[in-house]
Amino acid sequence: MAFEGLAERLQGTIQRIKGKGKVSEADVKEMMKEVRFALIEADVNLKVVKEFVKKVSERAVGVDVMKSLTPGQQVIKIVKDELTQLMGGEQSSIQFASKPPTIIMMVGLQGAGKTTTTGKLANIIRKKYNRNPLLVAADIYRPAAIQQLETIGKQLSLPVFSMGIDVSPVEIVRQALEKAKEDHNDVIIIDTAGRLHIDEKLMQELKDITSIKQPDEVFLVVDAMTGQDAVNVAQSFNETVGITGVILTKLDGDTRGGAALSIRSVAGKPIKFVGMGEKMDALESFHPERMASRILGMGDMLSLIEKAQENVDVEKAKELEEKFRTQSFTFDDFIEQMNQVKKMGPLEDIIKMLPGAGKIKGLENAKVDEKQMVRVEAIIYAMTPHEKTTPSIINSSRKKRIAKGSGTSIQDINRLLKQFEDMKKMMKQMSSNMQQQKGKKKMKMPGLDSLFK
Amino acid sequence: MSFLKKMKEKLTGTSESETVSKKFKDGLSKTRTQFTSKVNDLVAKYRKVDEDFFEELEDLLLQADVGVETVMELMDSLRFEVQRKNMKDTAGIQSVISEKLVEIYETGEEELNELLIQDNGLTVILFVGVNGVGKTTSIGKLAHRLKQQGKTVMLAAGDTFRAGAIEQLQVWGDRVGVEVIKQSEGSDPAAVMYDAVRSAKSRGVNVLICDTAGRLQNKVNLMKELQKIHKVLEREVPGAPHEVLLALDATTGQNAMIQAQAFKEATNVTGIVLTKLDGTAKGGIVLAIRNKLHIPVKFVGLGEQMDDLQPFDTEKYVYGLFAEGLEQEEGNDFKN
């Protein structure tokens, strides 16, 4: 597939200008061509790309190539900084009304994820801001949209206000406001129907809702996979109802998410949250820098580091490193390691965050089967303490016993033993590499691709 | 006679196809006016076929989400064609453009744009796709369409995950007047399929359409679940599923290619339903998908009503995109 990151794309140009002291105009022009393609492939709108490239070119020409960086890295850095700045600015949170209730209205195209996001947002508002939200089911068009919101409300134990599908959304919202007053709900989140931005009748309906009482927040919910059309959508919704912020959904997919940049530069409104999964707690704050890396295909190292910091015990990590070096790594350590990694979330997500994960030998096919992890665990738990520390004693009768005890086959056990040995070898190689401080040798990770298959 | 005119004659030759074509044109009107008027502006602006012209055309295609690689291929073959025919001015260039677009779409093996409905016995159609693309809605529309054609249809509520999904399908079932086989939320979708196939067989319906939960293509376990569903259908009915339709949102950008690839790997997708084409998005990535993965678009979704699902026809699609340009070209011919 043609989805290389910017760094790979710039490879050729960079080779040519290596060693030059300054980046010339011609160099920049050539590199910007690649930047342009990289951004278009990431679904950034073409017009936005052009403006952006112009701006970056001006900054890049004549720049001194810092000693620590190659010219290519220098350009990438400028591109990334500029991207980050464009998407960043204020990291604003939810704007609450000075006099309750705060009204939040969710708008967007069909299937963007408004209803799910309404639930997630309510969850955050209750947990983080300690408020008492009322969800309003104002989507009377899509079959069972109201039931969907009601189910979500039940899951979260939050009240949902609905009047069926025969009452106009405007009337529903009007009465919901009354209801909120009665029940002392200080936040109202209105889930509106998905609509096309060119559907005049339905866009008017949104206007009518806002004319009852101007919402404090109007969130445009946008699918992160949206292509070139994102600008039209953002522009229309912004012009008609005046959005105050954007929520980018389905970012747990593998899309580059260039729509984020398009929307930001067209509507000028901050991206406030990103949807990272189907569970009700999978709504996170937006990080411009991470998004910039992602759009450029540079991996999401920061999120990875943050996740690791949150979950990895430093002391344990040191201990482990010691074990790598002294080759005293056992199956007990292996399990512990697995548990630490598991705490960081689904492995496939972690691998995705590694920059250039697709390029590391043995990792390009690493599709992780979490069930396989359970199997590995079962095998290890079926071993005796002695077997765990000295796997070499595991002979065929022991294998038979372990297979029986773990509900796996002898082949499974053979495979795990071999992988464990490979891993030990690799770790020895890695730690000796680190000690030599020369990481030039290409790191090979034998068996890593098949470990969890 | 230009390619487009031949095509138009072919399309307007019979009255039946004229109405279908009209419906298609109407649904695509926003797409068409936008794109065509831009092409026309371009032709008027440039008159001469030069690099600036090509560059702007390239931009137009990129803005239709066709994708860098395919656009580059298309531009190369356009340049070649223009040179070969020694075209100096932009008059008549629309037809060359659409000809090349159709060509890009249709290279590769012959794939059927039509649904494979069995003459005898049960036909099973499986719907797959990421979240929020319109699977359930498309199923409702397709059920209506098949029923109109005199088939007996049954639906299987395989999205047991998303809140309200089963109810949503049930509403469509009631609307269209077909039976929905369902279990409770959270039950095993493969078990729902097993049930549905049994019921479909015992009641002797013609077509069973299976809904599945939306899933992002990079979720390994969910893709495996889909393979399991596929396997159950395969085991219960020989040759099933006869069609695996990937619902694709026309608003989606380049990720659609990865979606098509991943779902094809997991479930051997036989066709695409391109949804939400009544907006301003053009869904140009289907050109690339067809070109690279040989998955044809079988239907397009053009609205929220029951009869807003239309069969996809390459020529009509491209004709729809270029209709206005063609009428102008014809007008010119008339004067001559």
Side-chain angles (χ1 to χ4, degrees), chain B residues 118 120-124 196-197 200-201 204-208 237-238 240 242:
Chain B
Q118 305 294 300
N120 300 305
L122 178 64
T123 300
V124 180
V197 170
K201 274 197 214 159
V205 299
N206 302 128
V207 186
L208 172 70
V237 183
H242 305 89

Side-chain angles (χ1 to χ4, degrees), chain B residues 20-129:
Chain B
V20 176
S21 171
K22 190 182 174 305
K23 177 94 197 171
F24 206 87
K25 266 174 73 178
D26 287 348
L28 280 172
S29 61
K30 285 125 202 165
T31 313
R32 191 191 64 230
T33 29
Q34 264 209 344
F35 193 83
T36 317
S37 66
K38 277 184 192 162
V39 172
N40 285 341
D41 286 353
L42 194 65
V43 171
K45 191 166 143 196
Y46 284 100
R47 291 188 195 279
K48 264 176 139 180
V49 183
D50 54 12
E51 264 317 294
D52 287 346
F53 174 82
F54 280 125
E55 215 161 278
E56 202 160 332
L57 182 64
E58 184 184 306
D59 285 2
L60 270 182
L61 290 166
L62 287 174
Q63 279 173 309
D65 285 317
V66 178
V68 172
E69 214 181 308
T70 312
V71 170
M72 291 306 143
E73 265 172 44
L74 188 72
M75 295 313 293
D76 283 348
S77 74
L78 256 180
R79 282 198 178 92
F80 180 77
E81 193 68 17
V82 164
Q83 210 167 25
R84 196 176 65 90
K85 287 191 174 159
N86 201 16
M87 295 176 82
K88 294 243 163 57
D89 51 20
T90 49
I93 189 90
Q94 284 111 317
S95 57
V96 182
I97 297 170
S98 50
E99 198 175 329
K100 287 290 156 198
L101 276 170
V102 171
E103 214 177 87
I104 282 241
Y105 185 85
E106 291 197 327
T107 41
E109 309 100 73
E110 275 297 303
E111 288 100 7
L112 277 176
N113 281 8
E114 279 150 51
L115 275 187
L116 270 175
I117 303 286
Q118 305 294 300
D119 291 331
N120 300 305
L122 178 64
T123 300
V124 180
I125 301 173
L126 178 66
F127 265 77
V128 299

Side-chain angles (χ1 to χ4, degrees), chain A residues 152-169:
Chain A
I152 288 171
K154 233 177 262 161
Q155 278 170 19
L156 296 169
S157 314
L158 283 171
V160 175
F161 182 81
S162 64
M163 298 175 73
I165 56 170
D166 298 321
V167 183
S168 83

Side-chain angles (χ1 to χ4, degrees), chain B residues 220-283:
Chain B
V220 176
N221 286 343
L222 292 179
M223 293 308 270
K224 282 205 171 146
E225 181 191 87
L226 209 53
Q227 284 173 322
K228 186 178 161 196
I229 290 171
H230 195 274
K231 218 178 276 169
V232 168
L233 295 174
E234 219 173 355
R235 200 182 53 211
E236 292 306 311
V237 183
H242 305 89
E243 291 276 0
V244 180
L245 298 180
L246 172 71
L248 207 65
D249 187 332
T251 328
T252 306
Q254 301 306 301
N255 192 251
M257 175 65 89
I258 306 178
Q259 286 174 26
Q261 199 174 28
F263 278 100
K264 189 182 181 184
E265 241 168 64
T267 57
N268 194 22
V269 173
T270 58
I272 286 170
V273 178
L274 189 61
T275 63
K276 309 183 201 174
L277 204 59
D278 49 333
T280 48
K282 293 146 197 99

Side-chain angles (χ1 to χ4, degrees), chain A residues 213-399:
Chain A
K213 194 165 181 253
Q214 185 59 40
D216 303 279
E217 293 273 20
V218 179
F219 287 142
L220 177 67
V221 182
V222 186
D223 187 326
M225 294 177 273
T226 308
Q228 295 286 319
D229 206 38
V231 287
N232 298 327
V233 175
Q235 206 157 20
S236 301
F237 273 99
N238 195 29
E239 276 164 15
T240 320
V241 284
I243 61 171
T244 59
V246 176
I247 300 179
L248 211 56
T249 61
K250 307 178 205 173
L251 208 59
D252 50 328
D254 52 12
T255 183
R256 285 276 166 77
L261 184 65
S262 307
I263 292 164
R264 180 70 220 226
S265 61
V266 175
K269 297 291 164 19
I271 296 165
K272 296 209 170 177
F273 296 99
V274 293
M276 295 299 287
E278 298 194 56
K279 296 212 178 85
M280 276 300 132
D281 57 358
L283 192 69
E284 298 176 8
S285 323
F286 176 70
H287 299 283
E289 199 188 342
R290 294 179 196 175
M291 196 66 215
S293 295
R294 182 173 176 147
I295 289 175
L296 296 174
M298 291 158 68
D300 191 357
M301 256 334 245
L302 279 171
S303 290
L304 182 61
I305 291 165
E306 200 169 81
K307 273 202 170 178
Q309 278 171 342
E310 268 171 33
N311 294 300
V312 175
D313 188 327
V314 182
E315 284 305 305
K316 274 186 188 161
K318 269 189 192 156
E319 236 172 76
L320 197 71
E321 199 195 317
E322 178 68 27
K323 280 179 177 159
F324 282 164
R325 255 190 299 119
T326 55
Q327 288 275 293
S328 57
F329 187 71
T330 68
F331 269 117
D332 280 317
D333 302 319
F334 188 85
I335 280 270
E336 196 171 304
Q337 195 57 12
M338 254 172 65
N339 286 335
Q340 289 228 356
V341 171
K342 260 201 278 184
K343 269 195 275 174
M344 288 168 62
L347 257 183
E348 28 172 332
D349 292 357
I350 295 168
I351 289 178
K352 263 200 333 252
M353 287 186 222
L354 292 168
K359 298 277 166 206
I360 299 176
K361 232 182 158 178
L363 258 185
E364 66 265 51
N365 296 320
K367 279 195 181 159
V368 179
D369 180 359
E370 313 249 327
K371 274 190 194 145
Q372 179 61 18
M373 282 178 78
V374 177
R375 234 168 281 147
V376 167
E377 230 171 29
I379 295 174
I380 297 173
Y381 284 138
M383 293 178 185
T384 65
H386 188 49
E387 283 166 349
K388 281 186 218 169
T389 48
T390 340
S392 54
I393 62 163
I394 301 175
N395 56 23
S396 63
S397 86
R398 281 176 190 267
K399 280 179 193 165

